[in-house]
Each structure stands twice: as C-alpha cells, then as structure tokens.
Amino acid sequence: MNDVDARSTRNAALSYIRKEFLDIYNRLHSIDEDLTFVNQVRLAYKDLPILSNLRCGAWYTDPSTSVPIPAYFKSTDGHFSNWSFNLRRPNLHLLALVEEQKGMILVDSTRAGKKIPDALSKTVPIWCAVVNRAMRIRHPEIAINWDTELYTPPSTVSSQEHDQILPLLDGWAEALAKSSYTLPRLQYPLRPMWITPSTSSFPQVGSDPGFYPVICVSASKQVEDGLERRSSGFTYIQGSGDDHEAWGMGLVPEMFWSHRAELLTSNQTELQSLIASIVAASPTQRGEPPTILSKVESRLAICQNSGLPCPSLGDDFVYLVLSEDDVDVGGHLQVERIKTLPGKKGQTQLLSIVLPQAMAFVQSALVKGRSVCVSCDTGKDVSVGVVVTALQMFFDDNGRLAMTSGPRKGEIECLDKQSIRTRLEWIISERPQANPSRSTLKRVNEFLLSPETYRNAQS
C-alpha cells in the first residue's frame, strides 16, 4: 500500500470513528449502560445524597432521586500545572448538605484516555483539603487531629503531581479563610473517595468514620480509543454525556429523563425524528429562580432572561434586561433594555455603553426607593458583572445603601480589586451558579478603577 492509499484508509477510519462518536443512538445507549453502574453505587450508599457535577453529570443522575443543587467542580482547575482553588466557584453551598447528610456522592464522566476526570481526581481533592485547612484557620478550636491531608487516587494522579499540589494548599486556604464567604463549622473534615466501573469493591463507610465522605463516581467504563462494540447492537462510547451541544440535536438531560423509555426503545432509523418531536414539544425551559441579595436588604436581584417575568419579586422591583435579542417580559413590568453584542465587540460595548447606562438606570431606581432585578441570557455572566458594579458603586462594605449624587471611584470607600472581589463573593454566596467570565470581570475592574477618559477611548 502506497502512502496515498494509507492516508486515505486512515482518514476513512478517522471519519468513521468521528461519526460513531457523534451518533446519538450510540450515545444514549452508552449513557443507559453507565446508569446501571451509577445505580449500583447509589444503592450501596443509599443514605447519602447523590449530585451531578455540571454539566456532564446530569445525564447520569436521575432527577427523581438526585439532589437539585448545582455542583460545579471544573476539570480545568485540576489540569496539570493549572491546579487551582477558584474563589469564583468555591462550592461552599454544598457544605450544609454534607453536614446534614454526613457526606455526598458526586457523579461525573470522562472521555477516552482517562479513568477519572480531572474534576474528580484533582479538583475535588483540592477542594476538600482547602476547605479542611480553612476550617482550622476560621475555627481554631477544632481538634488538633483534624485531617488536612491531600488525598488523590494513586492510579490516576502520580506521586510527583500530588507533591506539586501540596505546597499550594495553604495559600488557597488562607485566601478562603480571609474571604467574605461564610464557612460553616463542620463536625468532621471532608475526605474524597473514588469509584469507577473497574472498582473491584466499593469503599466501606461506617456509621461514624470520623470524616464526611465525598464519593466521586466516574460513570463511564474506560475503553481503548473510547469505542467498544456491544452485542446488543450499539457502539459503547466512553463519556457520552460530554459536550451534548455537539451531538444532542437539542436534547438536554431533563428531556432525556422525561422520555427515557421511548428514546431507548426507538430503533436507530426512527430515533432522530423522535428526538426532533420531543425537542419541539418541550416547553421553553424556564430560567432558574431569581436570586435576591439579602446582603443589601433585597435591593438587588439577578435572574435569567428565560425566567422573566418573576412574580415572586413583587411590585417593588424594576427590571434591567441585557440581551442580544428581544426578550418578552410582559407588558406590565417597568423594564429598561440594553442590547448586548457577542464576542470582542460585546466586551468593548460592556465597558463603554452597557455599564454606564446600567449604572444610570440602577441609581435612578434606587434613589426612587425601587429595587432592581438585573437579567441576562444566562443569569450567570453579564448580569453578575453589572450587579457587582452596582454593589461597589451604591452600597458600602456592610451592604448598606450609600448613594451620592454622582458616585465615581473617588467617592467610593476602599475601592480596590479586593473590594470588588468581596462584592462578587456576596453574589456567589447566594447564587452559586454565578460564573462571570474573566473578560466580564476585567471590564468591571476597568470601569470602576480607570479614569472615564480611558473608557471613552475604548469605545
């Protein structure tokens, strides 16, 4: 075989593999196979709550038996040489659940090449160790034998990598302890444990093990090249739930669980038309409930555009709607709309147009005694950036309204990056899913810390 033929054969093989990876029939049946294993774990630890790690884990956890609390342990925070405890996603809201239920099960999956995703093998262990160490700092009365060790799965994390992470833990713990986050006093330290389909026996957790187990479940079987033929007529794909936007045809985990039986009994030729009908018939997904910030006496709130209108907020609220598209919020609401742009143009516009207009609207509403709900398409990014800015400009460090005739940086107490981070922490404490991008936070910092001439020059 000459080189041209060899390349042609190889390209055909790669094309076939890519087709298999994207085939939704194989994906859904692979997820169903993994569910059998996840259910075995759930039954083995039936007293512990089970959660999905966003976003992939939602395909593997039945909403009727899992806890509807967002957990977001990001794999990139565990990538080699990129290890991090990120104060923008501290997952501290999970601690109350862990304390009440004496532990938790966290489900995720990973694609070919790994047995355990970095989110479970490193990000969660870092989280456990940092929380345990910060607990010692915040609560010095804790017993001297309080466990602050770093635990990682030795079959996945090398001893060298483990040792490289260790010196970083105290710095992250100090930052968490010094933050404005509430850190509830735990009775026991956290300890991660790992289960995969290749685990021969599940870890034993007694009635009082002296720690709270965080059981990390990697749902998918590790297979060579990520593909494995099944005699039942499908190709098993490791980590099928990952990146469903690329293969799901609009199907999301909630739809899968609502129509699981008919999806899995449909033959391959009928499946795509069935999915199209399910997606078309599914009601528009309502956004998450609005988050009212108690830190500032409920004067500000955040929500997702798809969650509008928000009857629960009452008549005291006016709405600031940020979106690329027109959003129907009902004619009876007092609404200010600011059109946003995607990409780099949107970042420039956020600094020079969105934030100035938004602050003028928020200030006017607050002066009149109204409260303001800020919404964007996700309820996690631009709206959060706008509210951080408003918190810094119009509220003092205790969350009290501190209006002036024209607040700018010279009139704001203790304005620096730490003050801005603290206000972001106020939001994340009550809205854990808030996840503003680095670009959004950079624009917020520039708006608050740079001269107005700089902002004008960027427009």
Side-chain angles (χ1 to χ4, degrees):
M1 181 183 293
N2 59 38
D3 290 344
V4 174
D5 290 339
R7 281 197 300 272
S8 177
T9 301
R10 185 167 59 252
N11 289 339
L14 290 172
S15 176
Y16 178 78
I17 290 173
R18 281 194 294 269
K19 183 179 179 181
E20 292 284 317
F21 267 117
L22 291 173
D23 185 274
I24 196 165
Y25 179 88
N26 293 327
R27 291 270 182 177
L28 296 183
H29 283 268
S30 299
I31 289 169
D32 186 58
E33 180 177 309
D34 293 337
L35 291 176
T36 302
F37 166 68
V38 173
N39 285 333
Q40 290 173 354
V41 177
R42 183 176 59 82
L43 290 174
Y45 302 97
K46 57 182 181 296
D47 293 332
L48 294 180
I50 187 167
L51 294 79
S52 61
N53 191 31
L54 296 178
R55 297 172 304 136
C56 180
W59 290 95
Y60 303 95
T61 49
D62 186 341
S64 68
T65 58
S66 60
V67 178
I69 296 177
Y72 187 38
F73 293 96
K74 199 170 181 180
S75 281
T76 52
D77 292 337
H79 285 177
F80 187 83
S81 293
N82 192 55
W83 313 291
S84 175
F85 181 92
N86 197 315
L87 286 174
R88 287 190 287 127
R89 40 183 176 269
N91 286 293
L92 300 180
H93 62 290
L94 301 177
L95 296 181
L97 176 71
V98 169
E99 177 77 12
E100 179 184 352
Q101 301 292 325
K102 312 305 180 187
M104 68 177 182
I105 304 168
L106 184 66
V107 180
D108 203 348
S109 182
T110 188
R111 291 178 284 183
K114 290 185 177 180
K115 185 176 4 179
I116 305 175
D118 285 352
L120 299 186
S121 65
K122 288 175 281 187
T123 306
V124 170
I126 287 170
W127 178 74
C128 291
V130 169
V131 168
N132 289 340
R133 293 177 184 221
M135 199 69 60
R136 288 290 301 267
I137 299 170
R138 281 276 188 96
H139 304 284
E141 74 281 3
I142 283 177
I144 193 169
N145 60 347
W146 184 266
D147 191 358
T148 60
E149 289 298 316
L150 173 68
Y151 295 92
T152 55
S155 62
T156 303
V157 180
S158 69
S159 58
Q160 292 88 344
E161 185 173 9
H162 179 100
D163 291 343
Q164 285 178 279
I165 297 172
L166 273 175
L168 305 173
L169 297 173
D170 283 340
W172 294 327
E174 287 280 354
L176 174 59
K178 291 178 180 177
S179 74
S180 66
Y181 289 122
T182 299
L183 201 58
R185 168 71 161 86
L186 298 178
Q187 183 180 0
Y188 297 115
L190 309 172
R191 182 182 294 186
M193 310 172 86
W194 299 270
I195 299 177
T196 76
S198 64
T199 301
S200 56
S201 61
F202 294 169
Q204 296 297 308
V205 178
S207 58
D208 188 13
F211 59 85
Y212 290 138
V214 179
I215 298 177
C216 301
V217 180
S218 185
S220 295
K221 178 183 176 183
Q222 185 178 20
V223 297
E224 188 176 353
D225 298 325
L227 297 174
E228 191 172 82
R229 294 290 181 185
R230 293 290 185 265
S231 59
S232 51
F234 73 95
T235 300
Y236 177 82
I237 302 169
Q238 182 182 349
S240 284
D242 200 26
D243 291 334
H244 63 256
E245 292 86 357
W247 57 265
M249 299 174 54
L251 194 74
V252 296
E254 294 81 5
M255 298 177 195
F256 168 71
W257 283 104
S258 296
H259 301 274
R260 180 185 171 196
E262 56 185 309
L263 286 166
L264 293 172
T265 54
S266 174
N267 64 48
Q268 201 157 3
T269 56
E270 298 171 343
L271 182 60
Q272 292 195 8
S273 60
L274 172 61
I275 291 171
S277 66
I278 289 173
V279 172
S282 295
T284 302
Q285 295 288 306
R286 287 286 294 170
E288 296 154 329
T291 299
I292 304 173
L293 301 182
S294 59
K295 179 71 176 181
V296 291
E297 299 179 341
S298 305
R299 300 301 303 276
L300 294 175
I302 301 171
C303 75
Q304 194 173 354
N305 287 337
S306 57
L308 295 173
C310 302
S312 61
L313 291 182
D315 296 333
D316 290 337
F317 274 86
V318 297
Y319 293 82
L320 174 59
V321 179
L322 312 165
S323 181
E324 297 177 40
D325 308 308
D326 291 333
V327 179
D328 182 11
V329 298
H332 64 288
L333 299 179
Q334 183 178 335
V335 177
E336 174 79 3
R337 301 174 186 269
I338 301 179
K339 185 176 179 61
T340 57
L341 299 175
K344 291 184 178 179
K345 288 184 178 179
Q347 289 302 315
T348 300
Q349 182 217 26
L350 176 62
L351 178 62
S352 60
I353 298 175
V354 174
L355 287 174
Q357 290 184 7
M359 292 308 102
F361 175 77
V362 172
Q363 181 180 17
S364 174
L366 293 175
V367 165
K368 295 174 183 176
R370 306 297 297 274
S371 298
V372 183
C373 178
V374 182
S375 70
C376 68
D377 292 331
T378 66
K380 302 175 183 179
D381 185 12
V382 180
S383 57
V384 175
V386 167
V387 172
V388 168
T389 307
L391 288 171
Q392 182 65 76
M393 293 187 70
F394 306 128
F395 296 85
D396 66 20
D397 289 343
N398 295 309
R400 294 188 296 261
L401 190 64
M403 299 295 296
T404 67
S405 59
R408 280 305 303 151
K409 68 174 187 176
E411 301 168 354
I412 307 171
E413 65 174 79
C414 303
L415 175 54
D416 55 24
K417 288 186 177 181
Q418 180 55 53
S419 174
I420 298 169
R421 280 195 295 270
T422 295
R423 281 153 175 80
L424 177 59
E425 291 167 4
W426 294 353
I427 295 173
I428 294 172
S429 292
E430 300 195 67
R431 190 174 179 83
Q433 64 269 41
N435 188 31
S437 67
R438 290 180 181 273
S439 296
T440 295
L441 294 177
K442 183 177 180 182
R443 299 292 92 78
V444 168
N445 284 335
E446 288 173 347
F447 180 82
L448 290 167
L449 300 173
S450 302
E452 190 169 349
T453 53
Y454 171 82
R455 290 192 281 117
N456 294 337
Q458 303 306 305
S459 59

